[in-house]
């Protein structure tokens, strides 16, 4: 299975590779990009499959059924309530965001038939 991944270190890269190894799925790296847009273009070109946090799934990509579950990752923001101004606003925005959607393994959506 060709993969489209962020370079190391990457949480989604590590999760994808560990899940595939644990389940005996053979893989190779088809493309690496530091940018989300680079990964999206590689996936649209059919260079492989990728794993994204559900909150950043690029338009036009669809989930693939039957692949190993990469598990979940929990990020924690801790502050003492002493932040002021823009730092406090950022902490409030992060803490109020909906980040609880599961990760998705994606590929390019099939092209419509003519």
């Amino acid at each position: 299975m060709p993969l489209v991944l962020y370079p190391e270190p990457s949480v989604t890269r590590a999760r994808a590779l560990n899940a595939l190894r644990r389940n005996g799925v053979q893989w190779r790296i088809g493309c690496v990009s530091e940018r989300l847009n680079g990964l999206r273009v590689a996936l649209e070109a059919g260079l492989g499959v990728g794993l994204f946090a559900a909150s950043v799934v690029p338009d036009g990509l669809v989930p693939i059924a039957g692949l190993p579950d990469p598990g979940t990752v929990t990020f924690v923001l801790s502050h003492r309530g002493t932040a002021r101004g823009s730092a406090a606003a950022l902490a409030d925005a992060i803490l109020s965001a909906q980040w609880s959607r599961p990760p998705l393994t994606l590929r390019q959506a099939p092209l419509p038939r003519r």
Side-chain angles (χ1 to χ4, degrees), residues 15-104:
R15 287 288 177 157
L17 297 180
N18 288 336
L20 294 173
R21 285 181 188 124
R22 275 194 318 272
N23 289 279
V25 177
Q26 292 185 353
W27 55 270
R28 66 177 175 79
I29 296 177
C31 181
V32 174
S33 177
E34 293 181 356
R35 307 263 187 243
L36 179 61
N37 282 341
L39 297 175
R40 181 184 55 79
V41 169
L43 291 165
E44 289 174 351
L47 298 180
V49 298
L51 178 68
F52 294 91
S55 59
V56 296
V57 174
D59 290 338
L61 300 180
V62 296
I64 298 174
L67 291 177
D69 181 0
T72 59
V73 175
T74 302
F75 291 94
V76 177
L77 171 66
S78 176
H79 71 92
R80 298 181 180 148
T82 58
R84 300 284 181 255
S86 58
L90 176 60
D92 290 341
I94 291 171
L95 291 171
S96 67
Q98 296 295 318
W99 301 103
S100 61
R101 295 178 287 178
L104 300 173

Side-chain angles (χ1 to χ4, degrees), residues 110-114:
L111 297 174
R113 293 184 179 212
R114 292 181 183 194

